[in-house]
Amino acid sequence: MNLNTPRRSILQGLVASAIVIGFDVVGRSWVTSANAASIFENIPQLDGTLYTDSETLVNASVDFGNIVHRQPIAVLHPGSIEDIVQIIQFARTHQIKVAARGQGHSTYGQSQVEAGIVINMSTLNKIHFVGTDRAIVDAGVLWSQLLQQTLQQGLTPPVLTDYIELSVGGTLSVGGIGGATHRYGVQVDNVLELKVVTGSGQLETCSQLQNRHLFKSVLAGLGQCGIIVQATVKLIKTATNARVFELYYDDLAVFTRDQRLLINDERFNYVEGQLIAKDTGGWRYLLEAASFYSPPNIPNNNFLLAGLNYTQGTEKIEDKTYFEFLNRLASTVAFLKSIGVWSFPHPWLDLFVPNSAVESFVKKVAASLTVADTGQGAVLLYPVKTQRFQLPLFRVPKEKVTFLFSILRTAVPPDSSTVTKMLNDNRRLFEQNRDLGGYLYPISSVPFSRNDWQQHFGLFWRKLVSAKRRYDPDNLLTPSPGIIEASAPKQETIT
C-alpha cells in the first residue's frame, strides 16, 4: 500500500478492500464505500493512511510489555505533521481518544487507547538538519538513526538510552536516562525546541524562550498535553572509541561508594552498574564505566582506576568503537527475538531510590530476589546527580544524588500467574521506595491510581492538570495511564 499518496481521503479497510470515507457519529464506527447509505461525516484529507484492518488494530494493542492490551478503532500512519493536526481535530469533534506510539516499547499499555485512534509515529521519521551543535528531527526518528548520521560529523547526542532503537518522541515524553546522565542530565534536558500538536489540534512551536509553559508541560509530560512531532536536540563533539571497564564487587556499600566517587569527579564519560546473580545464589555487583577517546590520545588506566575498591583480578577492560559501545545491546536483542523471548511479557520496574536509603533498600530487596523473580532480566543500579535535571515533570527524590534501580523482568513462563506475581512484587517495592521518599520512573509496569499520580507529581500536580485543561480541553490525549480526569482547576503555570 502506498503511504505517500498525496492529499486523499484514505482510511483503508483491508477486510473488505473498501475505502473508509467517513465516521458514523451515532453508531461510532467507520463508514466504508461499501456501506455508505448511513449518515456520516467525512474524514479529513490526509497525506498518510488511516488503517482499520484487524491485523493493524491488534498490533497496536500490544506493546513490549505484552501485559495490557487495549484495541483502537483506527491507526494513523501520518504522512505529514498536518495529518496529526487534522486527525486530532477530527477526534476532538467526535470525542475519540488519541495516543501516539513510537516503537511500542512501553511496558504497561501507556501508548495504547481503547476504541480510539493510535498515531504510529514511525512514518514521521525525517532528519531535517544536522549542525555543529544541534539536530532537527521528526519524532519518529530512532536515536540510532540520528547517531549514525551525526557521527559522520564527529557529533553525538549528549545522552543516549542503553537501547538506542527507541524513537526521539517516545523518550522525550518520559525523560530518557542513560550512562551519561550524571554529566548531562536526561534527554529532555538536552532539547532546544519542539514542535507539538496539542490536544486542541493546534501546531505549536515551543522552547525555553518561546511558549515556555507548553515546553515544560510536554517534556517528560507522558503525552498528556500534546504530541511531540519534531524536536531540536543538542549535539556535542564526540570521540571515535570507548574504553570499557567492568569491575566486580562483593560488597554493596563499597560498590555504591565507588559509583558516587565516579559521578562526582566525572573521570568517566559513562557510569552504570548491575546486580549479577552468582551461581551459588545471591548477587555480586558490576560497575560499568567507559572513557571515550580518539587515537592517538588514549585513556590512562591507572588514573581512571585510582581509589576504586573493586575485587582485584576480576576487572575486564576492552576497547570498542564509540558506536559499537552504544549499540552493544543489538546482538542480545537479536538473540532474544530469535528464540521468541522478546515477545514474552515484560513487567519492568524502574525506581529512583534516594541516595540516603539506597544501601538498605537494595540490600533488603536483593536478600530475597532470585533469578526466577527476574526471568533472567537485568537488574540495574547506578547513581545520577539530580542537579542535572531541569524539567519539573521528571520526578526524582529531593537529594543531590539518586540511584536508578531497575528490575527488567521477563515473565518466564509467560503465563498470567507469573505476570500477576511480578506485578504484585512491583507494586510492593514501589510502595516501599515511595515511603522512603523515592519515585517511580513511569515507564514501569506498576498499577497506578489517580491518587498515586497526584502523589507522584506533588506540588506540580495542580499545574499539570491545569496545563491539561489548557492544551487538551476535551481530555483526549494518552488516556491509558489514567493520570487526569476530565475536571480540572483553573489554569496555573508550570515553572
Side-chain angles (χ1 to χ4, degrees):
M1 183 179 297
N2 183 3
L3 300 184
N4 299 310
T5 304
R7 307 307 299 170
R8 60 189 177 96
S9 179
I10 39 152
L11 197 155
Q12 181 78 32
L14 296 183
V15 175
S17 298
I19 300 295
V20 177
I21 58 178
F23 186 72
D24 183 344
V25 178
V26 177
R28 300 196 64 76
S29 61
W30 301 109
V31 178
T32 72
S33 54
N35 64 357
S38 59
I39 299 174
F40 63 90
E41 182 167 334
N42 288 328
I43 64 169
Q45 290 187 324
L46 301 169
D47 295 312
T49 305
L50 192 63
Y51 291 93
T52 59
D53 63 284
S54 58
E55 181 180 358
T56 301
L57 299 184
V58 169
N59 288 340
S61 73
V62 180
D63 57 18
F64 176 68
N66 201 11
I67 301 166
V68 175
H69 304 98
R70 299 184 177 100
Q71 186 159 312
I73 56 175
V75 176
L76 173 67
H77 286 201
S80 64
I81 291 174
E82 181 62 22
D83 279 359
I84 300 174
V85 171
Q86 293 286 340
I87 210 67
I88 289 181
Q89 290 177 353
F90 183 84
R92 186 183 182 195
T93 299
H94 301 293
Q95 289 294 294
I96 305 171
K97 302 288 186 178
V98 178
R101 175 188 175 100
Q103 290 300 297
H105 202 71
S106 55
T107 67
Y108 205 58
Q110 289 93 333
S111 62
Q112 298 172 15
V113 53
E114 184 72 31
I117 300 174
V118 168
I119 302 176
N120 188 326
M121 301 296 292
S122 63
T123 57
L124 205 65
N125 58 5
K126 183 177 180 180
I127 299 174
H128 295 272
F129 172 79
V130 175
T132 57
D133 66 345
R134 67 192 62 197
I136 303 174
V137 299
D138 287 342
V141 169
L142 305 185
W143 287 102
S144 62
Q145 295 170 335
L146 176 60
L147 179 63
Q148 287 173 317
Q149 186 155 331
T150 62
L151 286 179
Q152 297 176 22
Q153 301 182 36
L155 301 168
T156 183
V159 180
L160 288 159
T161 53
D162 288 335
Y163 184 52
I164 58 176
E165 300 301 319
L166 303 177
S167 69
V168 170
T171 64
L172 295 186
S173 295
V174 294
I177 192 168
T181 288
H182 71 284
R183 284 180 170 233
Y184 301 107
V186 283
Q187 289 179 323
V188 294
D189 297 308
N190 294 278
V191 178
L192 301 173
E193 186 176 276
L194 295 172
K195 286 187 178 179
V196 174
V197 180
T198 66
S200 58
Q202 302 299 312
L203 177 61
E204 304 273 4
T205 299
C206 57
S207 66
Q208 288 282 13
L209 301 177
Q210 176 187 355
N211 211 351
R212 187 170 182 238
H213 181 260
L214 178 61
F215 189 70
K216 291 193 170 186
S217 300
V218 171
L219 289 171
L222 309 180
Q224 294 303 297
C225 296
I227 295 175
I228 297 170
V229 294
Q230 193 175 101
T232 302
V233 297
K234 292 180 185 177
L235 298 176
I236 59 174
K237 292 182 179 179
T238 190
T240 59
N241 295 74
R243 178 160 293 177
V244 184
F245 295 75
E246 295 183 357
L247 312 173
Y248 285 88
Y249 294 74
D250 293 306
D251 185 273
L252 175 61
V254 176
F255 171 65
T256 55
R257 184 181 64 202
D258 278 4
Q259 286 189 315
R260 291 187 193 95
L261 171 66
L262 294 185
I263 69 163
N264 284 329
D265 65 24
E266 297 187 359
R267 69 178 80 171
F268 284 100
N269 302 94
Y270 167 102
V271 176
E272 287 195 9
Q274 293 188 40
L275 278 66
I276 304 295
K278 295 190 292 187
D279 293 338
T280 56
W283 303 87
R284 302 180 75 190
Y285 307 97
L286 169 62
L287 193 159
E288 304 169 283
S291 178
F292 303 148
Y293 69 98
S294 295
N297 299 316
I298 60 173
N300 183 318
N301 290 2
N302 291 332
F303 167 75
L304 292 172
L305 296 175
L308 300 182
N309 293 287
Y310 57 92
T311 303
Q312 295 296 313
T314 63
E315 65 272 21
K316 178 182 176 182
I317 304 173
E318 185 178 8
D319 289 303
K320 300 181 179 182
T321 69
Y322 181 75
F323 182 78
E324 284 174 340
F325 172 66
L326 293 174
N327 195 40
R328 62 196 177 279
L329 293 184
S331 59
T332 300
V333 170
F335 172 73
L336 293 175
K337 289 181 177 180
S338 70
I339 62 175
V341 175
W342 191 255
S343 62
F344 281 18
H346 294 91
W348 282 12
L349 175 67
D350 298 84
L351 301 173
F352 288 111
V353 183
N355 177 55
S356 59
V358 67
E359 281 91 5
S360 60
F361 178 76
V362 174
K363 184 177 181 180
K364 182 178 178 180
V365 175
S368 59
L369 188 69
T370 67
V371 172
D373 296 326
T374 71
Q376 300 192 18
V379 182
L380 308 181
L381 180 66
Y382 63 92
V384 290
K385 302 176 190 175
T386 59
Q387 68 186 39
R388 301 296 189 202
F389 305 145
Q390 305 300 315
L391 277 300
L393 298 182
F394 186 76
R395 309 297 292 150
V396 293
K398 298 176 177 63
E399 297 187 9
K400 292 182 179 179
V401 170
T402 184
F403 279 73
L404 177 68
F405 180 53
S406 300
I407 306 176
L408 306 184
R409 306 182 194 264
T410 299
V412 180
D415 55 38
S416 59
S417 61
T418 303
V419 171
T420 298
K421 181 184 182 301
M422 289 181 170
L423 290 176
N424 290 339
D425 286 346
N426 285 355
R427 178 70 200 191
R428 175 177 55 83
L429 295 178
F430 155 72
E431 290 178 357
Q432 292 176 3
N433 184 56
R434 176 200 62 195
D435 294 344
L436 296 170
Y439 282 82
L440 183 81
Y441 188 21
I443 65 172
S444 302
S445 298
V446 176
F448 243 42
S449 68
R450 188 173 186 271
N451 287 338
D452 289 325
W453 286 117
Q454 187 169 352
Q455 181 275 331
H456 175 82
F457 288 108
L459 295 175
F460 294 98
W461 168 254
R462 287 182 60 85
K463 295 176 180 180
L464 176 61
V465 175
S466 175
K468 178 77 166 176
R469 183 170 188 172
R470 176 176 176 178
Y471 299 115
D472 183 20
D474 297 310
N475 197 26
L476 299 181
L477 297 181
T478 320
S480 288
I483 299 174
I484 296 172
E485 297 174 355
S487 59
K490 64 181 181 180
Q491 291 182 7
E492 299 182 38
T493 300
I494 294 179
T495 58

